[in-house]
């Protein structure tokens, strides 16, 4: 159900992604994450095109943390911030973070390679139905994403929506 | 300027750091920023990659980025430059390359997808166009094979069209050569699927003069790399002119720049 990737650039860390629907305790989850009881970025799955997008955000967050150049206060908030095409932090949380009333959530956690305890904690805490991460596209709000990232029709002719999104995430610090 | 990158043993992997991270530590990621170690060596980031090409400004590596085939362009420090100046120039080139990539893609001009940029070590991780060849190699091979040089006409048309589109977006490439253009599917496949690369010297400008110089740089590079291609290059210019309303002003400037170039060479 969940998928774990190694970060090639930071091989001591892995990223695990989990997708849930019919979530009943969104508000409580958000509170637990803020209080540090669960170690996972809670993302609105409607704003994800593909798990690769979340992986790119997590990789960049680990890199910036190691370089001492994060723009937010924690690795988890940095992952959410990195998904956004703009440098406005509160907007990033509003658009990409899970909201209290949400019924679906995509959870991203960064952990030492062999240590799955954070994943187990998250699985235990979420009151909802876990679905395969590969089903993320059934949650994707394609028009919303195109609008938010300002993807042009001509751009879609030379590449996929995922590529358009990833490119913006990668260069947003300098545009 | 023309062909700065030299192929080194293509295909053979040169592990940069074979026994990377033998002693694994598993620090729990703390909240907030970690203290940074102040070495700006790119070595850890490139540990899983193999050196592919060595240029004067950058090394090109091939490897994986989050499971995808990736090219890493590392602009290494130049010892002969003042460190601070070098840092500034190198950073600017990395930034320009990343910026231009997005600007071009928005306009529907194919460039490799940028996956990740490290502005501390000046590494760009991008999509690897596996199986592509440079336009330079394609022209050379076609010319050597002797058959059907007209087959390059379609490619010249496409180059003209794409460069007109790029200039219509006010992107000046800054280093147009046939090595900085790739054919996505190699020589095979229908139509020329052209991809522009190497935007480190690019900038934005609406001035016909800047666009004219861009075309002049290409003309010089093109004709010296590929002998006897004057008519082919003219075909490129014709296609460029047909593709953009702004092109006549650029061609006028190109003519002026050529004249200046000739005068200079007569004097000097
Ligand atoms: N994304 C890519 N996919 C495939 N090959 C690439 C890619 N980027 C660069 N190359 C190859 O590496 C060469 C050098 O890259 P380039 O960006 O032009 O660096 P340089 O500044 O050294 O000329 C290119 O001519 C091309 O053959
Ligand atoms: Mg080049």
């Amino acid at each position: 159900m969940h998928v774990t990737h190694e970060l090639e650039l930071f091989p001591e860390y892995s990223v695990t992604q989990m997708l849930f629907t019919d979530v009943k305790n969104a508000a409580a989850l958000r509170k637990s994450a803020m209080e540090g009881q669960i170690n996972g970025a809670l993302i609105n799955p409607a704003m994800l095109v593909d798990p690769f997008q979340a992986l790119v955000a997590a990789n960049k967050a680990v890199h910036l943390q190691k370089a001492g150049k994060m723009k937010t206060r924690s690795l988890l908030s940095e992952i959410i911030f990195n998904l956004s095409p703009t440098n406005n932090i509160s907007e990033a949380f509003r658009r990409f973070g899970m909201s209290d009333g949400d019924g679906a959530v995509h959870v991203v956690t960064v952990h030492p390679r062999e240590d799955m305890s954070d994943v187990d904690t998250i699985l235990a805490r979420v009151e909802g139905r876990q679905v395969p991460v590969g089903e993320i596209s059934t949650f994707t709000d394609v028009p919303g994403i195109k609008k938010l990232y300002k993807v042009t029709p001509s751009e879609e002719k030379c590449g996929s929506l995922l590529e358009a999104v990833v490119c913006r995430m990668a260069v947003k610090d300098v545009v | 300027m023309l062909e700065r990158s030299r192929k080194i043993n293509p295909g053979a992997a040169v592990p940069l750091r074979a026994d990377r991270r033998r002693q694994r530590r598993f620090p729990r990621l703390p909240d907030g920023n970690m203290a940074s170690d102040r070495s700006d060596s790119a070595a850890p980031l490139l540990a899983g990659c193999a050196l592919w090409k060595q240029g004067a400004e950058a090394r090109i590596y091939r490897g994986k980025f989050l499971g995808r085939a990736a090219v890493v362009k590392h602009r290494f420090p130049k010892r002969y430059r003042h460190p601070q100046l070098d840092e500034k120039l190198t950073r600017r080139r990395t930034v320009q390359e990343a910026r231009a990539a997005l600007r071009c893609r928005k306009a529907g001009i194919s460039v490799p997808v940028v996956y990740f940029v490290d502005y501390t070590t000046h590494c760009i991780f991008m999509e690897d166009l596996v199986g592509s060849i440079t336009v330079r190699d394609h022209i050379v091979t076609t010319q050597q094979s002797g058959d059907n040089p007209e087959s390059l006409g379609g490619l010249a048309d496409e180059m003209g069209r794409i460069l007109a589109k790029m200039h219509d977006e006010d992107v000046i490439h800054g280093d147009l050569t046939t090595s900085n253009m790739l054919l996505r599917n190699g020589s095979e496949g229908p139509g020329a699927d052209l991809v522009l690369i190497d935007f480190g010297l690019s900038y934005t400008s609406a001035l016909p003069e800047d666009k004219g110089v861009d075309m002049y740089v290409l003309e010089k590079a093109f004709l010296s790399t590929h002998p006897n291609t004057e008519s082919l290059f003219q075909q490129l210019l014709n296609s460029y002119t047909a593709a953009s309303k702004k092109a006549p002003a650029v061609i006028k400037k190109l003519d002026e720049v050529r004249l200046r170039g000739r005068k200079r060479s007569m004097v000097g």
Side-chain angles (χ1 to χ4, degrees), chain B residues 4 52-53 60 73 112 127-129 134 179-180 197-198:
Chain B
R4 286 174 303 166
W52 181 32
K53 293 179 185 213
I60 308 285
K73 184 165 184 178
E127 166 193 12
D128 184 352
L129 295 157
T134 63
S179 299
N180 287 337
I197 59 166
D198 204 359

Side-chain angles (χ1 to χ4, degrees), chain A residues 52-140:
Chain A
F52 183 68
Q53 184 186 351
L55 216 46
V56 169
N59 177 76
K60 186 172 172 182
V62 172
H63 162 69
L64 290 176
Q65 184 175 53
K66 283 181 162 262
K69 298 211 162 138
M70 291 203 301
K71 302 249 170 53
T72 64
R73 294 220 318 275
S74 76
L75 186 83
L76 299 179
S77 54
E78 195 74 9
I79 293 174
I80 294 173
F81 175 68
N82 288 344
L83 289 167
S84 172
T86 74
N87 286 303
N88 181 325
I89 295 178
S90 58
E91 186 187 333
F93 287 126
R94 193 153 29 86
R95 306 268 189 197
F96 293 89
M98 181 185 70
S99 306
D100 284 350
D102 283 359
V105 66
H106 188 77
V107 188
V108 177
T109 176
V110 179
H111 52 90
R113 199 156 66 147
E114 278 102 30
D115 180 0
M116 298 298 276
S117 58
D118 286 332
V119 175
D120 295 336
T121 308
I122 292 162
L123 290 173
R125 290 272 187 137
V126 180
E127 291 168 26
R129 185 162 60 83
Q130 193 182 8
V131 294
V133 166
E135 285 180 18
I136 191 86
S137 63
T138 62
F139 294 80
T140 309

